[in-house]
Amino acid sequence: MPHRIEITLKDEVRDPRGERIKREIEHFLHLKVDEVRSIDVYTVDAELSGEELALAAAGPFSDPVIQHFSIDAPAAAGFDFLIEVGFRPGVTDNVGRTAAEALGYLLGRPLQAGEGVYTSVQYLISGALSQSDAERIATGLLCNTLIQRYQILDAAGFAKLGGVAPFVPKVQVEAKIEVNEVDLEVSDTELSRISRDGVLALTLDEMRIIQAHYRDPEVREKRRAMGLGAAPTDVELEALAQTWSEHCKHKIFSADVSYDDGEGNREEIRSLFKSYIQRTTADVRAALGERDYCLSVFKDNAGVIRFNDDWSLVFKVETHNSPSALDPYGGALTGIVGVNRDPFGTGMGAKLIFNTDVFCFADPFYDKELPKRLLHPRRIFEGVVEGVEHGGNKSGIPTVNGSIVFDDRFAGKPLVFCGTAGIMPAKILGAPSEEKRILPGDLIVMTGGRIGKDGIHGATFSSEELSESSPVSAVQIGDPITQKRMFDFLIRARDKGLYRFITDNGAGGLSSSIGEMSEECGGCRLDLSLAPLKYAGLAPWEILISEAQERMSLAVPPENVDAFMEMAKRFGVEATVLGTFTDSGVFHMLYGEKTVAYLPLSFMHAGLPPMQIPALWAQPVHPEPVIAAVADYTLDLTDLLSCLNICSKESVVRRYDHEVQGGSVVKPFTGVANDGPSDAAVIRPILDSFEAVVVGHGISPRYSDIDAYHMAANAVDEGLRNYVAVGGSLDLIAGLDNFCWCDPVLSERTPDGPYKMAQLVRANKALYDYCTAFSMPLISGKDSMKNDFYDGTTKISIPPTLLFSVIGKMEDARLAVTMDVKRPGDLVYLLGATADELGGSEYLAQKGFVGNNVPKVDAQAALAGYRAYHGALNAGLVASCHDLSDGGLAVAAAESAFAGGFGISLELDKVPFRGEASGKSDRALLFSESASRLLITVRPDKAKEFEAAMAGTLCCRLGEVTAKPLLAIAGLSGELVVRAELARLKEAWQAPLKDL
Amino acid sequence: MIKAKALVITGNGTNCEMEAAHACKLGGFDEARIAHLSELMSGEVSLDDYHFLNLTGGFLDGDDLGSAKAQANRLRYAAVEGSGERIVEQLLRFIEQGKLILGVCNGFQLLVKMGMLPALSGNYLQQTATLTSNVNGRFQDRWCYLKCDPASPSLYTRGIEGGVYLPIRHGEGKFLVDKPETLAAIEARHLACLKYSDREYLAPTMEFPENPNGSVNAIAGVCDQTGRIMGLMPHPEAFVHRTQHPRWTREELPEEGGGLAFFRNAAQYVKESF
């Protein structure tokens, strides 16, 4: 019989969780409640004596100083409504797992198969609420019904029932292990239905290609020999759907694109990926010649570059948008622990040194109607922030850089970018660490978590738009501790040379990891029945494509397998031999003795012809904004500082550990009160050296409303200038591109596909143009192409977004520069030209306009400026430097001033202006977002040297740092157009998200 | 002179082992070994061979049952392979031999929940205090001013004038005790060696964010009566060089960070005592 152990806080102890829920009920649901208290419930489903139960309750499950426990007796009292929230069957319950393990230590034996501990939380709410209010609190705040269940009792009902009855959310599946054949000798309509109903996300053309393969007499003959029928098994069809999914195959980036620039010029592009992204890197590397520092690009889970003679740097950025839309916490948590596995599974495996995160959300204060199934942006915000917090902090990886971008179109799908960098010895046991291989005969070993039904169809579901019927099984919750244990073990196994190849199990599960590994040696033979399961009853196809987390796949030479398994056992990590790599040319899956899939690798990986996608560009023309000039722009400036895209994100950032591992040099916040926004991060991954890694990023989706070419150009430039501002070197630098697009493929649902595809083409052209000009190789990236919501009536498409991440090196961390002004009397310089480029700016957005004059990047001028600045920085001539981006010069000056605690006085007529004089206005000079600009302060005694270092660039002195805490900007007429106390500016900047 | 040997235990979610070992080396230890708990449990590594035990920061078992609870349970019950000796017996022997234990953040939580701090009665296995959720319910990464009690027996804080500025990075740092007498005894015996304070280290504070978690009496660090066992929520190993300070680009700071004193003092004590 299951037992309930309830843990309550002693009366005099404050309950921060309850207090937070109370605040959220009031803020968010606008319901008044008097008090919320919470109780932790452990449902123990195991044969235990009363004494053992009491020992567990008193020991690991409760804290005697602040808590009471009660066993099989309800502890709740003094409430109006009780809401208990627990997980649904099969959902990862990390606390339950730890509790079960703790019981094992206490009993001196692990729990038996089928025994377990399940957790839930009781919220005791006091206040004048109705049943329907309680219902709203449960479904609108406490419980995500996709993964959780809840029970509501009022005081009377609770008394009548004598408490909440024990409930064991154990997965009960009919253990009917079947492999079914799927008849493809059917009509086209039927083929489409098979794909749609099975969440295969295969197009009719793709279904026909599969149909044709199975008609091939040679194929049929080989299948017969294996005991298989003519029709594909469900295992095979699922493996193909996963392998061919947009998520895994990047069909849009590999497509043949027919691009029409709208002016009658047509271009046939064979694969955007090859034509622009790969070519960028190839061209940059060729130009670098002997100075080339790329070690492994585009072929592994992450890109690898040289750091120094002894170490290599690894970096990858991923997105986890669709799962985060459904379950923000689990989706984001899985996003971060998932991307951790990429650098860990790159080369022979890298130690992880930092995370980055960039989120795109709708306004958390959004108060209009949302389509059903879409979660409120505030809930997404809360859940994602917490998911990344737990994923990063618990894994012991500092989160050093990121941003949050707001646009209401991200209500359709939030974007959750998670990046992780790692470092590995340049050589491991004498061989370059970025290389690995598999020999036929090597054993297939899976390590880490067990397989369940979680994450089934993740790869295919994220290859479709979000809708009301998106499958719940696609959602999963990560477990950073299981993964951390596995990494602790694997990094030691790596150094002992116990494995030959390692890769991550992410989207597509074993189907993807083993499928890709099989290409290395030419085949595999794997018995799915050997895979360790969370619970019985998974069909073979489910085992194959489950995306259950925290797993790595390895190739272990037979002679090492005993040592490998013994070491795994000691570290408490599950490792299982599933089969053998071969050179048969076949992806061969068995279940026991029986063959359940027999797919030629050539068909799996090369059987798909490229898609044909039309692209037609038409330059959008927005109404030219008409805004009257004013004499004082102080109010406009404070409004800008308070807008979501510019305001302080400190309440979020402080929730991320950005200093663990001890190498923090430039932190996310800096300045006299540790609250000014840094441009980029600097860390020292090797503690007895001052060589540092610098990481920054650029993102500017708003500019896509005018031209995605310039959106991409500005993202690249912003990433680079942030990186350069703190001290990153231009001689060892790499970029990562993450495209998040709305579906650009012409179809009935997407009649504007050709325009969206043209936007994609143009963004790629910009990426090539600017990265080659900046000599910045692309080393890795990812695309997510279906960021739309469609429920049959409402369609929400995100603005096309490129996140451009920049990673590189600085030789001496002690030369790093931060953005806060340092002392009164320092001189203020502006590097780079300002133009009348308010198009797509935050300023116009505030005024309700888009405009047309989007900022255009002059790569050669930018590069010359950055090079000169880097020289000045290395010579120790720079006191502070801040990049100009959203909100332009006025915002940058305000931020630098209040971060440093000293005023700035500037004159706008000294700002170097580019373009026709008619466009030169106070407004443009203050708020234009022209690219490639840096606001720099310099000590007066170094001014001459600084100016000499900057000779030949457009770098002008605008004013000085003042002791008086005031931002004073003189307009073109000489009169002050901005005059504001720093305290007021800082308050405006900090207020909006302070309490989130 | 003897070789001063420090041990840093890792595994099951410990995260700060690398910088803790680095700080031990910088502080003067001749050896700083990072050992996975499994190496202790297999008998490969024994506490008996070391002088200074570092229980450092992280999220043991994900803090799933409350911070460090599962590890406290594990150490209490788990035995060394072969010998059958429980880890906890090794620990008690370590203490008895006059050796040193420093618990930082998650390590402090572990010490408190095992009963090793403040251990007023001299019983190192009876829990009388705890560390629980910050008052604001959120994990926080921020730097704090810590006023140092010069009358404290802690050997780690010897020579620190006024106070020390260190980062805290935790969600469960609010120090509480089981009864008022415990707190009174902690204060009377000067065991609360570090308290959250104002920038000038003048007085302890209960104000957020200077006191980031709402600890009773603003307590940030506690030692036992011998002064050899100490735990603190702030991270001394995270400030051993000036570039780790949040304002190093604007303030004139010594090359060495304020947290290094803890490790120097430990090394010096070991070299003088063993």
Side-chain angles (χ1 to χ4, degrees):
Chain A
M1 191 197 98
H3 302 278
R4 277 173 69 92
I5 299 177
E6 299 187 354
I7 311 294
T8 51
L9 283 169
K10 293 181 178 172
D11 286 340
E12 67 277 14
V13 179
R14 279 180 71 172
D15 180 356
R17 177 171 56 186
E19 289 170 22
R20 181 160 62 85
I21 297 296
K22 175 177 187 284
R23 277 198 305 276
E24 288 180 1
I25 291 172
E26 288 171 353
H27 277 212
F28 195 35
L29 303 174
H30 311 293
L31 291 170
K32 178 91 188 73
V33 293
D34 299 329
E35 192 187 25
V36 180
R37 304 272 294 172
S38 60
I39 294 179
D40 286 305
V41 182
Y42 296 92
T43 301
V44 179
D45 184 24
E47 286 304 319
L48 295 187
S49 69
E51 202 183 324
E52 287 167 336
L53 274 175
L55 207 55
F61 292 2
S62 73
D63 183 329
V65 174
I66 50 168
Q67 294 171 327
H68 294 297
F69 63 85
S70 76
I71 302 169
D72 292 326
F79 58 87
D80 294 304
F81 279 97
L82 173 157
I83 302 174
E84 181 162 324
V85 180
F87 291 109
R88 287 180 179 276
V91 177
T92 304
D93 181 350
N94 288 324
V95 181
R97 180 194 40 72
T98 302
E101 201 182 288
L103 267 186
Y105 281 109
L106 190 146
L107 300 173
R109 63 155 177 98
L111 292 190
Q112 320 271 314
E115 293 184 326
V117 182
Y118 304 87
T119 60
S120 48
V121 179
Q122 255 180 26
Y123 300 91
L124 309 180
I125 306 174
S126 306
L129 297 174
S130 66
Q131 178 76 29
S132 74
D133 291 339
E135 198 69 45
R136 267 184 71 205
I137 293 170
T139 56
L141 188 70
L142 299 177
C143 178
N144 182 345
T145 52
L146 275 182
I147 52 165
Q148 293 166 311
R149 67 205 151 74
Y150 66 93
Q151 184 177 357
I152 300 177
L153 289 175
D154 59 13
F158 181 79
K160 199 169 131 205
L161 292 174
V164 178
F167 177 76
V168 176
K170 189 148 63 173
V171 180
Q172 309 280 5
V173 198
E174 287 287 306
K176 200 173 60 179
I177 311 297
E178 281 186 346
V179 175
N180 294 305
E181 289 190 357
V182 183
D183 184 6
L184 296 186
E185 294 304 327
V186 292
S187 69
D188 285 356
T189 326
E190 193 55 17
L191 284 179
S192 296
R193 191 198 58 77
I194 291 171
S195 169
R196 196 174 50 247
D197 290 0
V199 202
L200 299 178
L202 292 165
T203 63
L204 179 58
D205 286 345
E206 289 160 358
M207 289 298 284
R208 283 194 190 131
I209 291 166
I210 297 174
Q211 185 186 50
H213 172 77
Y214 284 89
R215 283 176 179 168
D216 182 341
E218 220 175 295
V219 169
R220 290 192 169 191
E221 181 50 41
K222 284 188 179 145
R223 295 177 63 76
R224 222 182 343 262
M226 286 292 136
L228 287 171
T233 65
D234 51 11
V235 183
E236 291 172 323
L237 205 52
E238 292 283 353
L240 287 171
Q242 173 275 312
T243 310
W244 291 3
S245 67
E246 175 56 40
H247 189 100
C248 297
K249 193 86 184 171
H250 310 289
K251 288 181 282 199
I252 294 171
F253 263 86
S254 318
D256 290 346
V257 183
S258 180
Y259 172 65
D260 182 330
D261 71 358
E263 290 169 5
N265 304 309
R266 188 169 283 281
E267 211 179 320
E268 302 302 324
I269 302 162
R270 304 256 169 273
S271 168
L272 290 172
F273 178 65
K274 285 188 183 143
S275 307
Y276 297 107
I277 297 174
Q278 272 192 328
R279 189 160 64 94
T280 297
T281 306
D283 289 0
V284 171
R285 292 182 74 176
L288 283 170
E290 287 198 342
R291 289 183 301 118
D292 178 19
Y293 43 81
C294 295
L295 296 174
S296 168
V297 287
F298 303 127
K299 61 180 187 194
D300 210 330
N301 291 307
V304 188
I305 58 173
R306 196 185 118 89
F307 182 63
N308 59 25
D309 288 345
D310 300 324
W311 296 95
S312 304
L313 260 184
V314 186
F315 195 22
K316 172 65 173 267
V317 181
E318 269 277 13
T319 47
H320 222 230
N321 308 334
S322 302
S324 301
L326 294 179
D327 172 21
Y329 174 79
L333 173 58
T334 312
I336 195 78
V337 296
V339 75
N340 288 169
R341 289 194 301 272
D342 281 321
F344 199 92
T346 293
M348 292 304 284
K351 177 187 176 304
L352 309 179
I353 56 170
F354 66 77
N355 288 333
T356 62
D357 62 76
V358 173
F359 311 138
C360 298
F361 297 140
D363 185 344
F365 308 107
Y366 192 84
D367 57 3
K368 292 182 280 274
E369 193 73 23
L370 279 167
K372 213 176 137 196
R373 188 66 182 267
L374 286 184
L375 293 175
H376 191 276
R378 167 80 181 257
R379 264 185 102 176
I380 296 199
F381 182 108
E382 290 283 343
V384 166
V385 167
E386 184 163 274
V388 172
E389 173 191 326
H390 287 179
N393 292 356
K394 292 188 177 182
S395 304
I397 302 163
T399 299
V400 300
N401 185 245
S403 61
I404 310 180
V405 177
F406 294 94
D407 184 304
D408 282 348
R409 286 169 285 180
F410 292 119
K413 239 187 216 183
L415 304 184
V416 177
F417 299 92
C418 297
T420 303
I423 195 159
M424 57 187 180
K427 288 196 167 159
I428 292 174
L429 301 174
S433 60
E434 70 275 12
E435 288 171 15
K436 54 188 169 185
R437 61 191 185 134
I438 299 176
L439 300 180
D442 285 351
L443 298 171
I444 303 172
V445 178
M446 185 184 95
T447 62
R450 299 187 144 224
I451 297 177
K453 289 189 183 239
D454 34 351
I456 283 178
H457 285 147
T460 51
F461 128 86
S462 61
S463 304
E464 293 180 329
E465 84 233 342
L466 197 59
S467 73
E468 223 182 308
S469 58
S470 298
V472 302
S473 62
V475 173
Q476 51 202 318
I477 296 178
D479 174 3
I481 296 305
T482 296
Q483 181 151 302
K484 171 102 183 160
R485 272 188 197 164
M486 173 171 69
F487 287 174
D488 281 348
F489 152 58
L490 286 175
I491 204 109
R492 288 165 172 83
R494 177 196 76 178
D495 294 338
K496 288 182 192 287
L498 293 182
Y499 57 79
R500 222 185 317 255
F501 195 102
I502 181 168
T503 197
D504 138 57
N505 272 296
L510 285 174
S511 174
S512 172
S513 67
I514 305 302
E516 285 171 19
M517 286 170 88
S518 298
E519 279 197 294
E520 294 284 329
C521 60
C524 68
R525 192 172 192 282
L526 181 150
D527 181 353
L528 292 166
S529 74
L530 298 175
L533 304 181
K534 292 182 179 176
Y535 35 81
L538 267 71
W541 70 266
E542 293 177 306
I543 298 172
L544 185 63
I545 66 160
S546 164
E547 297 178 7
Q549 292 290 299
E550 292 85 40
R551 294 181 293 145
M552 303 295 286
S553 290
L554 299 104
V556 178
E559 63 272 22
N560 292 348
V561 75
D562 290 342
F564 183 92
M565 303 303 273
E566 195 275 327
M567 191 174 172
K569 187 161 173 261
R570 273 203 298 122
F571 278 77
V573 176
E574 189 154 26
T576 314
V577 176
L578 299 179
T580 313
F581 288 103
T582 66
D583 53 8
S584 65
V586 179
F587 181 77
H588 187 176
M589 296 290 119
L590 298 103
Y591 193 85
E593 296 292 302
K594 192 172 156 26
T595 292
V596 295
Y598 195 79
L599 288 167
L601 287 173
S602 55
F603 178 62
M604 257 182 110
H605 293 290
L608 196 62
M611 288 172 81
Q612 309 290 320
I613 308 178
L616 172 62
W617 176 243
Q619 176 65 53
V621 179
H622 300 279
E624 263 315 309
V626 188
I627 308 168
V630 292
D632 189 336
Y633 286 96
T634 306
L635 195 61
D636 280 346
L637 173 58
T638 51
D639 283 351
L640 270 176
L641 289 167
S642 287
C643 79
L644 286 172
N645 281 322
I646 291 176
C647 75
S648 174
K649 315 298 187 296
E650 189 173 354
S651 62
V652 173
V653 174
R654 294 263 171 233
R655 293 169 63 181
Y656 300 144
D657 188 334
H658 51 259
E659 297 177 278
V660 62
Q661 299 192 12
S664 171
V665 175
V666 173
K667 305 181 200 300
F669 284 92
T670 186
V672 65
N674 303 340
D675 57 6
S678 292
D679 291 328
V682 180
I683 66 150
R684 290 186 299 130
I686 298 147
L687 294 177
D688 49 19
S689 156
F690 287 102
E691 288 171 287
V693 181
V694 182
V695 62
H697 72 274
I699 184 167
S700 48
R702 273 196 321 272
Y703 299 148
S704 288
D705 291 335
I706 300 173
D707 187 344
Y709 180 89
H710 298 296
M711 179 279 289
N714 277 286
V716 171
D717 182 68
E718 185 185 13
L720 178 60
R721 72 178 181 263
N722 277 321
Y723 165 91
V724 166
V726 297
S729 157
L730 291 152
D731 296 324
L732 203 160
I733 181 171
L736 282 83
D737 56 285
N738 282 77
F739 286 86
C740 281
W741 234 249
C742 36
D743 188 357
V745 181
L746 174 64
S747 72
E748 232 168 81
R749 287 175 190 181
T750 313
D752 56 351
Y755 172 72
K756 290 170 171 169
M757 194 63 200
Q759 288 182 301
L760 185 64
V761 170
R762 294 179 67 79
N764 273 278
K765 285 177 180 287
L767 195 61
Y768 176 82
D769 292 348
Y770 286 95
C771 290
T772 48
F774 291 139
S775 185
M776 189 155 45
L778 298 168
I779 57 166
S780 182
K782 196 74 194 264
D783 59 280
S784 165
M785 303 304 292
K786 307 274 173 159
N787 293 293
D788 310 84
F789 172 83
Y790 186 58
D791 63 2
T793 51
T794 310
K795 178 160 185 173
I796 308 176
S797 295
I798 66 150
T801 303
L802 170 68
L803 169 67
F804 192 78
S805 306
V806 176
I807 189 169
K809 185 178 178 184
M810 95 178 268
E811 294 296 334
D812 187 346
R814 290 167 293 191
L815 293 169
V817 165
T818 53
M819 52 71 68
D820 46 319
V821 299
K822 299 297 186 299
R823 54 191 85 64
D826 282 2
L827 306 176
V828 179
Y829 292 83
L830 179 64
L831 170 65
T834 304
D836 177 15
E837 291 178 324
L838 283 164
S841 69
E842 200 58 48
Y843 177 80
L844 286 193
Q846 287 291 301
K847 302 283 180 193
F849 295 98
V850 175
N852 299 293
N853 294 340
V854 67
K856 297 187 175 65
V857 184
D858 177 344
Q860 291 315 321
L863 190 60
Y866 296 156
R867 282 210 176 278
Y869 168 78
H870 188 64
L873 180 142
N874 275 340
L877 305 176
V878 178
S880 82
C881 177
H882 192 21
D883 109 289
L884 274 65
S885 56
D886 294 14
L889 173 62
V891 164
E895 289 177 343
S896 288
F898 63 62
F902 298 114
I904 289 182
S905 147
L906 299 179
E907 291 168 47
L908 289 183
D909 70 352
K910 299 202 170 137
V911 173
F913 187 79
R914 184 186 70 208
E916 287 177 33
S918 62
K920 189 170 175 179
S921 65
D922 289 336
R923 176 187 294 130
L925 293 170
L926 287 169
F927 304 121
S928 176
E929 295 175 5
S930 296
S932 319
R933 295 179 301 161
L934 296 171
L935 189 70
I936 301 162
T937 64
V938 177
R939 281 176 82 122
D941 58 355
K942 291 185 172 160
K944 224 174 126 190
E945 249 184 293
F946 175 75
E947 285 172 17
M950 299 306 288
T953 72
L954 206 51
C955 184
C956 295
R957 200 172 123 190
L958 304 187
E960 63 173 32
V961 178
T962 59
K964 203 169 174 192
L966 193 76
L967 179 64
I969 303 180
L972 292 170
S973 71
E975 298 291 315
L976 287 185
V977 291
V978 171
R979 186 178 191 288
E981 300 281 338
L982 296 188
R984 182 177 154 210
L985 295 173
K986 191 166 170 177
E987 162 62 20
W989 181 71
Q990 288 185 327
L993 296 177
K994 199 167 193 166
D995 296 323
L996 274 188
Chain B
M1 201 158 50
I2 62 114
K3 268 182 86 175
K5 293 168 78 175
L7 181 67
V8 185
I9 295 188
T10 186
N12 300 308
T14 292
N15 293 330
C16 301
E17 66 274 15
M18 196 177 71
E19 58 269 40
H22 178 67
C24 287
K25 282 260 179 160
L26 286 182
F29 281 90
D30 300 297
E31 183 188 329
R33 164 87 191 258
I34 297 173
H36 195 277
L37 184 66
S38 73
E39 293 172 296
L40 241 69
M41 287 171 46
S42 71
E44 253 173 282
V45 173
S46 167
L47 292 183
D48 296 335
D49 300 329
Y50 296 86
H51 305 104
F52 178 35
L53 173 61
N54 285 262
L55 300 170
T56 191
F59 279 84
L60 285 164
D61 303 277
D63 279 359
D64 283 342
L65 308 176
S67 54
K69 288 282 296 174
Q71 177 88 333
N73 179 70
R74 182 184 288 118
L75 294 187
R76 180 169 290 223
Y77 292 103
V80 177
E81 259 171 59
S83 84
E85 182 181 48
R86 287 187 304 156
I87 304 276
V88 72
E89 289 160 32
Q90 267 191 35
L91 265 171
L92 291 175
R93 185 164 64 242
F94 191 83
I95 295 170
E96 220 168 88
Q97 290 169 346
K99 293 175 174 177
L100 279 56
I101 306 179
L102 181 65
V104 171
C105 195
N106 206 206
F108 182 26
Q109 293 161 339
L110 177 62
L111 285 173
V112 162
K113 290 177 185 190
M114 290 190 76
M116 297 194 166
L117 283 175
L120 294 169
S121 63
N123 177 352
Y124 287 97
L125 293 179
Q126 190 193 356
Q127 184 181 348
T128 56
T130 196
L131 289 151
T132 186
S133 300
N134 298 349
V135 165
N136 74 352
R138 298 272 195 229
F139 182 98
Q140 291 286 302
D141 179 338
R142 56 174 74 245
W143 282 59
C144 290
Y145 296 94
L146 303 156
K147 182 176 166 60
C148 188
D149 182 352
S152 144
S154 166
L155 66 92
Y156 302 92
T157 54
R158 280 180 193 168
I160 294 177
E161 305 241 346
V164 58
Y165 187 48
L166 294 175
I168 60 102
R169 312 193 305 251
H170 61 248
E172 295 185 35
K174 182 182 176 183
F175 184 80
L176 290 177
V177 292
D178 57 350
K179 50 183 189 285
E181 295 76 29
T182 305
L183 189 60
I186 288 173
E187 294 291 9
R189 300 183 205 173
H190 296 277
L191 303 184
C193 39
L194 293 174
K195 292 188 171 183
Y196 302 107
S197 81
D198 61 287
R199 199 174 176 141
E200 274 74 44
Y201 307 115
L202 296 175
T205 178
M206 295 304 287
E207 294 301 313
F208 182 85
E210 288 75 18
N211 178 337
N213 49 41
S215 281
V216 63
N217 287 12
I219 291 173
V222 169
C223 63
D224 76 337
Q225 300 172 79
T226 70
R228 293 191 301 263
I229 306 179
M230 178 177 168
L232 69 167
M233 288 313 296
H235 287 266
E237 81 290 350
F239 185 32
V240 298
H241 187 262
R242 67 184 175 89
T243 55
Q244 293 165 317
H245 189 290
R247 297 187 299 274
W248 70 271
T249 59
R250 58 184 298 123
E251 293 179 7
E252 293 300 323
L253 298 168
E255 200 67 11
E256 184 179 305
L260 195 54
F262 290 73
F263 299 91
R264 272 201 201 293
N265 282 332
Q268 194 184 341
Y269 181 90
V270 166
K271 288 183 174 166
E272 285 167 3
S273 310
F274 292 92

